[in-house]
Amino acid sequence: MPVIVARDLTKVYGDNRAVDGIDFEIARGESFGLLGPNGAGKSTTMRMIGGTLQRTGGSMLVAGLDPAERGPEVRAHLGVVPQQDNLDEELSVRDNLIMYGRYFGLPYSYLRAKADELLEFAQLTDRGKAKVGSLSGGMKRRLTIARSLVNEPKVLLLDEPTTGLDPQARHVLWDRLFRLKEVGVTLVVTTHFMDEAEQLCDRLVVIDRGRIMAEGTPRQLIRQHSTREVLELRFGADRNAAVVAQVEDIGSRIEVLPDRVLIYTDDGEGALEAVTTRGLSPVTSLVRRSSLEDVFLRLTGRSLID
Amino acid sequence: MTEGSTIADLGRLAASGRVPPPEVMARRARRWGWWFFVEAWLLGAKAWAVSILLYMVVTPLLYLTALGLGLGTLVDRGAGSVDGVPYLVFVGPALLVSTVVMSVGGELTYPVMAGFKWQRLYYGPHATPATPEQIAVGQLLGVMIRFVVQAGIFWLLLVLFDAAPSGWSWLSVPVAVLTAAAFGAPLQAFAASLEDEGYQFAFVQRFIIMPMFLFAGTFFPLSVMPVTLQWIGWVSPVWHGTQLARQATYGAAEPLWLTAVHVVVLAAMALGGILVGRRIYARRLGS
Ligand SMILES: Nc1ncnc2c1ncn2[C@@H]1O[C@H](COP(=O)(O)OP(=O)(O)O)[C@@H](O)[C@H]1O
Ligand SMILES: [Mg+2]
């Protein structure tokens, strides 16, 4: 039985349909992603899973319970990492973990030992006594993730877990999350980074303007909605549009972005050769594998990150 | 998780077997969620404990010295007594109640704003089994615990200054806390309803708290004021609280019905504020 089931899930703010009738199921132990640009409705969906936001319509079951009616019971199952950190800056790092655990009715005897384990997990052991206000952004994020584990949840909701972190910190976090998945924790991740979705998610939905555009594993999505390779060409901002007519027939599809032209093809090197044969000399050229970014571009005509 | 740690360690971290089932955690939170917020509040307040305590001791000393001994000497020389007692005895319980209410103006305004907006402190517990209603009540109760201490210290000083002759004078402590709740709960609800930066709080300070302090029977009996201004006392929790505190500290004479009115007004304001505040917290955190 899936641990989370959403049917026709809807949230309307005024006349803005932030989440517009989406359906999804998440199996136990799975790592499930919601990939979409800013404003797609990812955070809104996450908050309805935990019942901290009242939905406008549709149904939602988490561990068989409706979060709108059994909020405390549902949230006792969950670990929640919100998009914006909301740590208590006036308490120490360690006390943040302990006091958060209190809200689950957990006794101090358990929490004191647990806090030390979680500090180690977050690589913050030596900062335990420091005030949260003195931590860097990456440390705060790790602490927030550690905090979400205090009740040993079977399901972890991670809303943009690595947004705002530098590349190295992101890889450290992905490693942590991957290991959690390996020991059986169900991950629900929202992100607008295609590399994060590819790294973390077994399966994902591409979401835009409150609607699900596509669903599948990262590989399936790329196979269905894009070619194997992509040739990226830059001719200089003013010339990109002008050369389109000359290269249009080379790949199976072409996308013209403000700063580059993308040619979709299963043979990138061959396509590049064809371009040079026609006497065109791009300022730069690059052959790469298709990514979820290309899938999104295909489905919506826009980039994930604006 | 350092490089050397193993999957087994992580397995224990994720499922040690020492955590009760979710239903049990939820049940505990449903019952005690408000108290868990108080615990966190108290821990946060610990950082300021010394300066708050100092404030709690110095404020009464300043007021009692200036108004009781300074002004009081003058009043007693002129009028003989006020309400049948020395001025210090008359003004003491009123100062106790008023200074506590003035502190409410700091404790249930900006911190509420920080909870919803500046630090988003409420959103942490909101993602746990605790409910918005419990957060609202916990915020109020944490502050009330502070006021028990603050009023208790003031009362001790009243006794030391010989300004609380009745054996029941300790009752002025719960009276002051009830008054703080009567003013604080509606103020908290108001603060929770504000979306902007809270510039209204300065207005509350100047046009509600100060007039209550000056005109609600603190320094002179309400009856001395022109009848057209006496309503300020009637609508002000400070007056109702002050009159009750005076009965406690020196047995001020008042008809029983009026005493009942004081208690009912204060309790109704506190309860009404809590009920409205809980709804505002639930609406705002859940939207
Ligand atoms: N509290 C709110 N009130 C009104 N509109 C909101 C609120 N929260 C989000 N929205 C709107 O709902 C849409 C989806 O927002 P959100 O779920 O935060 O997107 P994402 O997390 O994918 O960036 C956006 O158009 C946003 O402006
Ligand atoms: Mg978001």
Side-chain angles (χ1 to χ4, degrees), chain A residues 106-115 150-152, chain B residues 16 18-19:
Chain A
L106 297 166
Y108 282 103
S109 56
Y110 163 84
L111 287 169
R112 278 192 277 264
K114 189 71 181 182
V150 74
N151 58 319
E152 302 190 351
Chain B
S16 67
R18 284 178 293 152
V19 170

Side-chain angles (χ1 to χ4, degrees), chain A residues 47 52-54 72-73 75-76 84 86 100 102-105 108 110 114 117 120-121 152 176 179 182, chain B residues 1 10 13-16 18-19 22 25 28 30 36-37 39 120 123-124 126-129 285-287:
Chain A
R47 294 186 57 208
T52 54
L53 178 66
Q54 295 304 310
E73 285 74 16
R75 291 192 290 277
Q84 265 179 290
N86 49 37
Y100 194 78
R102 287 296 285 156
Y103 289 110
F104 292 83
Y108 282 103
Y110 163 84
K114 189 71 181 182
E117 291 171 24
E120 200 195 326
F121 170 76
E152 302 190 351
R176 297 284 174 291
R179 290 173 186 221
E182 280 189 314
Chain B
M1 175 98 340
L10 206 69
L13 186 78
S16 67
R18 284 178 293 152
V19 170
M25 290 194 268
R28 288 180 191 165
R30 277 189 187 274
F36 300 143
F37 189 94
E39 279 182 12
R120 300 172 57 81
Y123 288 86
H126 185 45
T128 73
L285 288 173
S287 72

Side-chain angles (χ1 to χ4, degrees), chain A residues 58-84:
Chain A
S59 69
M60 168 75 79
L61 286 180
V62 179
L65 302 167
D66 180 347
E69 269 150 29
R70 307 285 302 280
E73 285 74 16
V74 165
R75 291 192 290 277
H77 283 85
L78 301 178
V80 178
V81 176
Q83 183 171 350
Q84 265 179 290

Side-chain angles (χ1 to χ4, degrees), chain A residues 11-14 16-19 34 36-47 53 83 159-160 190-192 207 209-210, chain B residues 284 287:
Chain A
K11 178 69 190 184
V12 181
Y13 288 112
N16 175 10
R17 303 184 72 81
V19 174
L34 294 147
N38 269 330
K42 305 182 297 294
S43 298
T44 305
T45 303
M46 287 295 236
R47 294 186 57 208
L53 178 66
Q83 183 171 350
D159 195 356
E160 311 237 2
T190 80
T191 183
H192 64 268
I207 168 168
R209 297 187 173 135
Chain B
R284 184 155 181 190
S287 72

